[in-house]
Amino acid sequence: MLMRTDPFRELDRLAQHLMGPGTWSRPSAMPMDAYRDGEQYVIAFDLPGIDPDALDIDVERNMLTVKAERRPLPRSESAQTELSERPLGVFSRQIVLADILDTEHISADYEAGVLTLRIPIAERAKPRKISVNSTGDRRELDS
């Protein structure tokens, strides 16, 4: 379960897009999807063109931070830019994770420009049956 803490995130994302590329001190947002799939939560980030070595994933307590940097492609000195729409710079997203998630066992895969994190539900948060012990037919008598 994810907790949304910033209701103005979309407005901030639009403002950052208009202000130019993100920097390490002021990163741009990255689009994401989050959903529950059985006994785990899945978070997918769109990061096309990012080198896997430029990904930084950190979790401290229940705060998940994902950072990535898209660098310009190497070009020859004679190359002239005709059009440049792909954003460059630093991208970041911080997500507050619910206490029911097992942050010790997060897995991460990066394929086709999508970073996918899988976070299992903690055992302590899963429903379980409580057995009832019977002590027989025990009665207290009033004297």
Side-chain angles (χ1 to χ4, degrees), residues 117-129:
L117 303 180
R118 297 181 188 285
I119 310 168
I121 304 254
E123 287 299 320
R124 69 182 182 280
K126 293 180 183 176
R128 59 188 182 281
K129 286 282 191 189

Side-chain angles (χ1 to χ4, degrees), residues 79-129:
Q80 293 180 343
T81 301
E82 297 290 328
L83 179 66
S84 180
E85 294 182 343
R86 298 175 56 224
L88 300 174
V90 179
F91 302 86
S92 179
R93 200 73 186 254
Q94 284 192 315
I95 303 164
V96 178
L97 302 175
D99 292 335
I100 66 164
L101 299 177
D102 184 356
T103 59
E104 298 292 322
H105 295 96
I106 297 175
S107 66
D109 297 301
Y110 184 66
E111 183 178 341
V114 178
L115 173 65
T116 304
L117 303 180
R118 297 181 188 285
I119 310 168
I121 304 254
E123 287 299 320
R124 69 182 182 280
K126 293 180 183 176
R128 59 188 182 281
K129 286 282 191 189

Side-chain angles (χ1 to χ4, degrees), residues 42-55:
V42 179
I43 305 171
F45 299 93
D46 277 351
L47 296 168
I50 302 287
D51 187 303
D53 293 333
L55 293 171

